Amino acid sequence: MTVPKRRQGAVELRGKEHAQPMADQALLEGREKRWSQQDPWRVLRIQSEFVDGFDALQELEPAVSIFGSARTKPGTEMYELGEALGRGLVEKGFAVITGGGPGIMEAGNKGAFEAGGTSVGLGIELPHEQGMNDYITLGINFRYFFARKTMFLKYSRGFITMPGGFGTLDELFEALTLIQTGKVHNFPMVLFGTAYWTPLMDWVRHTVLDGGFVSAPDLDLVTLTDDVDEAIEAMGEPR
């Protein structure tokens, strides 16, 4: 019998303990009357996640994050392209950062690992354990999505976003918002996989732009490509 399990920071929850709410869930849904006692402790826990992340990543060389679906299977074309991207980034002098899980994340880490580079995984507590893949040389598990997102943006010099679901889209649009509003500068964004991303960009161009909700220069914030070398070149030089 498979016993459900997941990690919550340094703690592993199995069996009936698995039913405990996730840290993010408890923070966002908590309406308990004892908030004045509960939330200050949460603030300390959140602080500790930032401290752990900053401490672990402070010496990291220039890095690029690769995003994409956890459901992409090994042996598929997109998985192999993820490997090629991870390998090529290391050969250019970058470390590679992913969410640490399976699919595209594993592919990017695998390419970086096999090329002898630094392969970082920033994991997150989820209802069902997905665990860190086997190709990570530096891994950190987070309870809170916002702490994890800060690490992606603080320690990456650019993003390569491959086909994925809601989590991938969330990272994409959050990064684009920060670039558009000038919160981060000189931060290249590549959408890798024209067949997947072209319909989204067509909607942005013909609905969002035509409706006056963004400006024409905002469309220049992304590079759309199927070419590994072009995606890596778009990241610029390690600095």
Side-chain angles (χ1 to χ4, degrees), residues 115-236:
T118 303
S119 179
V120 180
L122 304 181
I124 186 68
E125 179 190 3
L126 294 172
H128 300 286
E129 180 75 73
Q130 68 175 18
M132 291 284 190
N133 66 63
D134 293 331
Y135 303 101
I136 289 168
T137 61
L138 175 60
I140 311 169
N141 274 303
F142 291 90
R143 292 181 176 93
Y144 299 99
F145 268 107
F146 53 82
R148 179 186 187 230
K149 288 177 177 180
T150 299
M151 302 305 151
F152 275 120
L153 285 157
K154 179 174 175 58
Y155 293 101
S156 297
R157 305 301 174 90
F159 286 174
I160 298 176
T161 308
M162 302 182 77
F166 288 157
T168 302
L169 294 171
D170 175 55
E171 297 289 357
L172 167 64
F173 283 108
E174 183 160 41
L176 286 175
T177 300
L178 293 173
I179 298 167
Q180 180 197 46
T181 55
K183 300 295 185 181
V184 293
H185 298 279
N186 303 316
F187 196 92
M189 169 69 73
V190 166
L191 299 182
F192 192 94
T194 57
Y196 186 84
W197 294 112
T198 295
L200 174 64
M201 293 307 297
D202 285 344
W203 174 76
V204 171
R205 184 173 292 106
H206 299 301
T207 300
V208 183
L209 176 62
D210 289 353
F213 302 109
V214 296
S215 301
D218 294 333
L219 300 183
D220 297 329
L221 297 176
V222 300
T223 299
L224 182 62
T225 186
D226 291 312
D227 185 83
V228 169
D229 291 337
E230 183 181 2
I232 295 170
E233 183 66 24
M235 295 298 106

